[in-house]
Every structure is written in structure tokens, then in C-alpha cells.
Amino acid sequence: MASSSRQTIRFCVAPDGTRIAIASIGSGPPLMRAAHWLSHVEHDADSPVWRPWLEALARHHTYIRYDQRGCGLSDSDVADFSLDAWVADLEAVVDSLGLRRFPLLGMSQGGAVAISYAVRHPDKVSHLILHGAYARGALRRAGAASERLEAETLVNLIRIGWGRDNPAFRQVFTNQFIPGGTPRQHLWWNELERLTASPDNAARTLEAFHQVDVTDLAAHLRVPTLVLHARGDARVPFDEGRRLAALIPDARFVPLDSDNHVLLESEPAWATFLAELHGFLSVPPAAAAQGAANEAALTPAERDVLRLVALGLDNAAIARQLQKSEKTVRNQVSSIFDKLGVHTRAEAIVLVRDRALGFESPPPG
């Protein structure tokens, strides 16, 4: 079971000085989640909603997530709520961890952040997974006056009732995120909304979400992409998920039989999501077999380097840790790839996970 005692929390600083809280849990190759609204890295580990996500995604990976600016343990005194600022925060997190290449998960509005990052840094993103995501925010996709009024009303509900002891106002959002949740899950989600952000920050954040539009960027993605969306999603319309998948070249689209924006462990769609995710991230059997045949040829020094590659460290970070020159590390990485029969760091990382090459990979930080 995931718990706060088994995760590592650290902080980094974004270019504008905003402090961002980062949590990592599990072991193995990194899996990065772009920040989304309503998270708290300290409390999520004990959540009846988020804990199953942590347990499942940390089973084969070092699962890394961070609180969005203005939320959770990240700085609350924030001036800039914009897509560019959110992408800069993700860049700061990746740089602070020394990650070289990794799969990136974008959920809800975190999908727009993940898409923007992947377009800017295609060399770093091995796979892109988008769940409940969208290219256009509510005001960008609103086609009728009633849709615009709904988006604006939700922002005003936050300003009026987000901070009150009576959770009635927050329950409106809870019903959109997890309509199929139990009373305990609803109670926890209502409290999360109050804990994670002030009324002003929550309102300004939602206003910024409404204006997001990454339609043009999505068409420029050149990263293997999996898009999943719940058919009955009450927070982000199913058609927006399908539209997003159509925008991304060669993206695979998987509909999920659920009404929940955040999938719950008790529903069949959760198993479907995990099966699709694990299948998408796995190494082709031929590559795994070839790597297994040659793994014994690695020297002790190469195994040390591979262990750090499996953590997602780049050559410069590996050189510092092993007290070698960067050129030596670069040559050893090339030799490792040749011996394992892989072509990229991502393939080597998954091979380490699947073949358990004689060492464990602790979480970064």
C-alpha cells in the first residue's frame, strides 16, 4: 500500500521563483505526471481516490508527480497562472531530477501541459499518455451562450463558496470529477478542494484552464501517444477526448466505460486503463529477448552506468555521481546499447524493469 512514509518529497524552483513540490514513489524507470488541478502530494498518498493510482503506477516505475503552482505544497502566492508558466514548472521539475527520457502522463488540463512540453522537448518524452484531457478549454470550445455561462458560473461558485465550512459549493465539482464515488470518497474530495488551494487561486486557475488551446500544438506532436477518455465524463466531454486523439498524428484512442473523470479502483474501466497503459509502455518481445541474451556481457562498470540510466539520469549527472568524464559515460552508454540490442534510453530502462538485471532502481532524490 502506498503511504506518505514511502514517498520522497522534495522541492525545486521555477524560472519565476515559484517553489514547486515534487513527490516520487516506487522504483524502476521514471514515469512523470504533469501537474493538474486538485492535487496535494502529501495527502494524496492516503487518499481513497488517488492511493490506488499511486500503488498501480509505482508498481513498475518510479512514479513522479508534483503540485501545480498555487496548489498543495507548492507556493500559494503566485502571480502567473498560464500555460507557459505550467510548462516552465514541468521543465524545472525534470531538470531538477536530472531526467533524460521518460514517459509523460497528462490528465485533464495536465494534458495540455504535457502536449506543450512534448512538442518543445520531443527528445525527452518517450511516450505520451493523455487521460481525460482536452485541447480546448471550456471557453475556447463553447459554441453556445449557455456553455459560456456555465463556465463562468463555475468560476463564480469557487469565489463564493470554495472556502466555506459547508461543502455544498465544492460538492458541485466533486460530482463532476467522481460522480460514481462512495460517500467516503466524496467527503475526501470535498476536503481536498479546500486544502489544496485558496478560493482566489482556485478561481484564477480555473479561469486560465478555460482559455487553454493547444489545438495547433497537438498536430505537431511526434511522440507515440495513447489517448483514453471516459464515455460519460462529466468534467471534460467525451467528444473533446476523441477530437484530441484525431488531432495527434498516429495517436491511439481508447474509450473507457465510465462516468468518472478520475477513474476509481472499483470500476471495470480502471483495469482497462491499466492494461492499455502497461501494454503501451512495454518493450517489444524481440527487443527484450535480444537484450536478455546479451546482458551477461556487461562489465561491472557498465552495470553501474545502466543502473543510473534506469533512474532517468542524463550523461552529465551520471558522470558526476560516478566521478567519470562525460565522454567516458557517453562511450559506456553506447556500448551498453550495443550489447543489449536497444537503440534508446527508454528501451534500456524498460529492459531493466522487465529483466531485473541484477540491481534495484531506487526513486530519484
Side-chain angles (χ1 to χ4, degrees):
M1 175 180 292
S3 69
S4 56
S5 63
R6 290 180 52 198
Q7 68 175 353
T8 299
I9 296 177
R10 59 190 296 175
F11 296 87
C12 72
V13 179
D16 66 355
T18 301
R19 190 180 66 164
I20 302 297
I22 311 165
S24 60
I25 188 169
S27 62
L31 170 60
M32 172 68 70
R33 189 205 70 190
H36 54 67
W37 197 30
L38 301 179
S39 74
H40 195 301
V41 293
E42 189 172 38
H43 293 292
D44 288 354
D46 298 315
S47 161
V49 177
W50 286 123
R51 186 177 61 243
W53 285 77
L54 270 61
E55 291 174 351
L57 299 185
R59 194 163 292 133
H60 302 294
H61 295 84
T62 299
Y63 182 44
I64 305 164
R65 67 200 200 284
Y66 60 100
D67 282 334
Q68 184 174 275
R69 56 177 48 217
C71 292
L73 293 184
S74 293
D75 279 350
S76 59
D77 185 9
V78 178
D80 188 1
F81 291 90
S82 67
L83 181 59
D84 284 342
W86 297 328
V87 177
D89 292 344
L90 175 53
E91 290 172 334
V93 170
V94 171
D95 291 346
S96 74
L97 297 175
L99 299 181
R100 165 72 174 146
R101 192 166 169 82
F102 49 88
L104 178 60
L105 170 62
M107 301 171 60
S108 197
Q109 74 282 347
V113 177
I115 289 168
S116 301
Y117 182 90
V119 170
R120 293 187 192 183
H121 305 281
D123 57 316
K124 285 188 171 293
V125 180
S126 62
H127 301 74
L128 182 62
I129 306 103
L130 303 172
H131 170 57
Y134 55 86
R136 305 176 298 176
L139 288 177
R140 293 291 183 172
R141 64 178 180 258
S146 60
E147 293 174 325
R148 292 191 292 274
L149 179 60
E150 179 182 347
E152 293 163 356
T153 299
L154 288 175
V155 173
N156 289 328
L157 276 176
I158 289 176
R159 294 194 187 281
I160 294 170
W162 194 265
R164 294 185 182 181
D165 290 335
N166 186 332
F169 287 90
R170 297 191 299 277
Q171 184 66 39
V172 172
F173 295 91
T174 299
N175 286 339
Q176 288 188 326
F177 280 93
I178 50 170
T182 64
R184 177 170 174 260
Q185 289 169 329
H186 277 208
L187 181 64
W188 187 90
W189 196 273
N190 283 337
E191 184 64 8
L192 170 67
E193 292 169 5
R194 187 185 66 81
L195 284 174
T196 187
S198 67
D200 184 60
N201 278 354
R204 292 172 65 199
T205 299
L206 186 57
E207 283 180 320
F209 293 161
H210 286 344
Q211 297 294 342
V212 162
D213 193 337
V214 294
T215 298
D216 292 339
L217 285 178
H220 288 89
L221 277 170
R222 295 297 182 267
V223 175
T225 303
L226 175 66
V227 181
L228 309 102
H229 210 103
R231 294 184 186 276
D233 192 332
R235 182 71 193 149
V236 178
F238 177 72
D239 285 347
E240 285 300 309
R242 187 161 49 191
R243 178 181 183 274
L244 176 59
L247 289 171
I248 301 171
D250 300 319
R252 170 173 162 75
F253 180 64
V254 178
L256 300 169
D257 292 324
S258 174
D259 294 333
N260 294 307
H261 184 58
V262 176
L263 295 177
L264 301 173
E265 183 185 28
S266 58
E267 59 183 323
W270 173 243
T272 302
F273 170 81
L274 291 180
E276 292 288 346
L277 175 70
H278 293 154
F280 181 60
L281 295 180
S282 67
V283 166
Q290 185 178 7
N294 294 303
E295 66 189 66
L298 296 179
T299 67
E302 289 170 343
R303 292 174 73 84
D304 287 340
V305 170
L306 180 57
R307 176 176 59 82
L308 297 178
V309 168
L311 288 175
L313 273 64
D314 60 19
N315 288 350
I318 294 173
R320 288 194 299 271
Q321 184 148 340
L322 297 181
Q323 298 183 336
K324 297 181 178 184
S325 72
E326 192 170 345
K327 180 180 179 181
T328 297
V329 171
R330 185 168 60 249
N331 291 339
Q332 288 178 321
V333 169
S334 296
S335 176
I336 290 168
F337 285 9
D338 288 341
K339 291 179 179 180
L340 296 181
V342 299
H343 302 285
T344 68
R345 278 177 132 82
E347 290 177 354
I349 288 170
V350 179
L351 186 62
V352 168
R353 179 197 69 195
D354 289 346
R355 297 295 302 178
L357 303 186
F359 54 81
E360 293 186 0
S361 304

